[in-house]
Every structure is written in C-alpha cells, then in structure tokens.
Amino acid sequence: MKEGRRVAITGIGIVSPAGSTLEEFWKVISSGRSCVGPITRFDAGEFRVKIAAEVKDFAISEKYLDRKEARRLDLFLQYAIVASGEALKDAGVKGDALPVDSGRVAVVIGSGIGGIKTIEDNCRILVERGPSRVSPHFIPYSIGNMASGLVAIKFGLKGPNLCVTTACSSGAHAVGEAARMIRHGYADAALAGASEAAITPLAIGGFAAMRALSERNDEPEKASRPFDKHRDGFVMGEGAAVLFMESEDAARARGARIYAFVEGYAANGDAFHITAPDETGRGAAECMRMALKDAGISPSQVQYINAHGTSTPLNDKIETKAIKDVFAEHAYKLAVSSTKSVTGHLLGAAGSIETAAVALALFHQFAPPTANLETPDEECDLDYVPLKGRKLRIEYALNNSFGFGGTNACLVLRRAD
C-alpha cells in the first residue's frame, strides 16, 4: 500500500462490552479491566458455558434509529448502524455534508455470523406456530450484508458496498479492503469495520460443543486470559467497531484529527484445517511478512502488536511461534498484548475493534495490557504487557486476525504526526 494515496483513520465508532463511547472504551482497554460476566441474554442454567462479555446499557440513539424500526432489526444491525453513525460524528462528518461525493464513499462492514438471533427466533416460530407466521423481515434482517446495506441507506453512501464474512478475520479484512479502495482510487473515503451479536443459545451451545469456550464460570472476570498457562478457551463477546477512513490529503484539507495511518495490509490462508491453525504457524507468519512488505518497512521498525490472542491453548502458542519466526530477536523487544482479555472475542468484529484499539494506542502512545496474564505459558515467552499497560513510543503497530477456515489478515498502522 506504499504506492498510491496514504489512508488516514479520522473517525472511530464503538459499541462494545468495554463501553460505547471512545473515552470509556479506551479507559477500560488501557486499564485492563475485564468485561466478562454471567450471561443475562438468556437462561444459561443448563449450558456448560454460562459467561460472556455482553454489551451493557445499549440504547438506540434516535439520531440513527427510531424505536419501532429498531425492534425489527437484529442486534448486529443495530450495533453496526450506531457504530457507523458515531464514526461519522467522531470524524466531524455530517451525513448531509460529506467531504467527498457520496458516490465515492465505500461501506465495507463484515460479520462472521450475521443475524443468528433472528434465525433462531424464526426457526422457533416455524416449528411452534407454522410457516405462515414466519416474519417477512426474517430474510433481510438475518443476512450478513444487511449491515453494510442499511448503513449505506441510513447515511446516503453510494460507493462500493460490501460485506466481508471471513470468520474472526472479517473486521480486519473489511478495514484492509476499504483501505485498498482508497489507496488505489476506487473510493475517496469509507466506513469500514464489522458487527457481531452472537450471544444466543445456539451460538453459545455450538461453540461450547466444540470445547472452544472457557468454562471458568465461577470466575468470569478471569476467564479470558491469553498466553496464560491456565487458559481454557475464549470468551464470547459482542459489539461493533467502524472506522471512517479517507485519503491523507482530504483529511489535511479539512483539518481533521488523524488517529493513525493504515500503511500495510495482507491476507492469506493456511489451507490446513477448518478450525485449527497450522501448527507450524507458517500461514500467520507469511501474512505478517506480506503486511510489513506492503507497508514498506522492516520487522525491526515495529514496536507493538495487538495479537489475535484468543486465550485458546492452540492459538496463543502458535501465534507466538509465528511472531518469533517473523521478528527473530526483535520479537523479544516488542510489546505484544491481547485486548480480548478485556472485551472477550467479538468473532467477526474482533479485527475491527482491535484495529480501533491499535489506532488509539498509536494516538495515545500507550500499549494496553493483557489482563489476567498471571502465569505465563512456557511456550509463550514474549513481552505480553501483563496486567498493566504502559507508556510506549510507538511508530508502527501490527494487528493480527486469524479465523476458522484458515483465513488470516494483518494490518500495519503508523502513528500520525
């Protein structure tokens, strides 16, 4: 991406377990306070897993949705619309006064699962009440691309409109693909990110059946513990993060605040297994190398990595191996942390909320901590910023996102002047 226009992040919208304002989100992330607690969305009494990182006190802003409309929409759609509106607001952009032509503003919003609650609800209606009672809104409000579609309709954005569904890499892929559009002139600005709302009986039951989730039900706040010897799985999170991005020239011309620049992006696949990462770490390592090459920098120029860091036994040690493969001795000089230790794993939205965390880390020159890292795994021997964040001079940072099916995405962000 070093050729073409430089891409600036000028707005961030967040709906998350760690808060739904930037100030609150950054305060919680930088302090390392876990947002995991007992599930309240449904009665989880009979479930093996009874904990999750839920969005608390979410209120539909009537600036974006009226209550009647909101009642019909799956929660992942509500999250996406509110996060997009907040990203535009944070960037100082009004929907009726866009800084560029509306036909040149892309919307790329992904989701790993989409409207699973809408699917569950209508499946129950079909079984219990018959096909005539299935909602006419069922199909449009369950499909993944409706988040990008509704956001475009809501804010009048007529540029490329895409949904990226690449499991837990969806959000990072969405940001990277949108940045490429701006870099190479296919769009002048973009709303990009992802949304997920999968704390439902079927989703929790399914991931629990795979033994992918932590079962630390008696200590939920300590359940998400990436790189810790006693980790036992990830914790389901939910929410959305959407970034407003534009060319540096456009941002400078209108005097916009710039959080960070998207300097490099890469995507590849392990071609190994439907759920497990390649045990050698080759796919993840190659993706990081390609992202660094795309940014035109060497590994030694990176100071911070926001790791995929899921808190699963396999992912954390394999990602560590991949980082050491790419960065060699410099790996031990890096600050590496996983903000999933605070927010849980937002599935498809993980990559975008963690890109937002990286942009804020660059903006504040501060490395957020890995919460609950009390007993490091012997195979995870890097500096994971345990328990307490720290001030850090960060020029370049890397964000890793890896997903089921072996899909990988890496983004390189650079500090703004």
Side-chain angles (χ1 to χ4, degrees), residues 37-40 44-52 204 214-215 217 220:
I39 291 172
T40 65
E46 296 183 1
F47 285 69
R48 178 182 289 127
V49 173
K50 308 176 194 302
I51 58 174
I204 294 292
S214 172
E215 297 181 19
N217 297 310

Side-chain angles (χ1 to χ4, degrees), residues 53-287:
E54 299 176 335
V55 172
K56 303 294 187 184
D57 302 321
F58 176 68
I60 283 292
S61 170
E62 294 189 1
K63 293 179 294 184
Y64 309 127
L65 288 167
D66 63 49
R67 295 189 182 280
K68 181 179 179 182
E69 181 183 14
R71 280 196 298 270
R72 294 197 300 263
L73 299 182
D74 192 276
L75 202 52
F76 96 101
L77 298 173
Q78 296 181 39
Y79 289 165
I81 292 168
V82 172
S84 297
E86 290 299 299
L88 290 169
K89 177 183 174 184
D90 186 53
V93 174
K94 295 183 178 179
D96 58 352
L98 291 166
V100 298
D101 182 87
S102 63
R104 300 282 297 168
V105 182
V107 180
V108 187
I109 298 178
S111 183
I113 294 180
I116 190 167
K117 185 177 186 301
T118 297
I119 294 171
E120 287 184 37
D121 289 347
N122 280 273
C123 183
R124 190 179 305 111
I125 289 169
L126 174 65
V127 171
E128 295 176 358
R129 302 170 65 186
S132 66
R133 303 309 296 269
V134 172
S135 171
H137 302 295
F138 163 50
I139 296 299
Y141 291 162
S142 63
I143 56 179
N145 80 300
M146 196 52 65
S148 56
L150 285 177
V151 165
I153 292 167
K154 179 63 62 176
F155 301 106
L157 308 177
K158 300 175 182 177
N161 190 282
L162 300 175
C163 168
V164 179
T165 300
T166 48
C168 304
S169 299
S170 300
H173 280 136
V175 172
E177 295 299 329
R180 277 183 174 171
M181 289 182 192
I182 297 169
R183 172 68 65 186
H184 298 299
Y186 297 104
D188 293 327
L191 281 173
S195 182
E196 203 80 270
I199 302 176
T200 71
L202 186 59
I204 294 292
F207 279 108
M210 294 173 60
R211 297 298 178 97
L213 298 178
S214 172
E215 297 181 19
R216 196 183 286 255
N217 297 310
D218 55 340
E219 292 182 299
E221 70 283 354
K222 294 186 176 182
S224 186
R225 45 195 317 114
F227 308 108
D228 189 88
K229 184 176 183 177
H230 303 297
R231 67 193 184 275
D232 69 327
F234 75 83
V235 176
M236 183 84 81
E238 63 173 356
V242 177
L243 311 180
F244 184 77
M245 301 186 295
E246 57 191 305
S247 70
E248 179 185 16
D249 289 346
R252 301 284 191 200
R254 68 184 188 89
R257 172 208 47 233
I258 298 174
Y259 288 108
F261 296 110
V262 181
E263 292 286 289
Y265 164 61
N268 71 351
D270 286 354
F272 178 75
H273 189 270
I274 59 171
T275 57
D278 183 339
E279 294 171 356
T280 67
R282 279 193 292 258
E286 183 60 22
C287 196

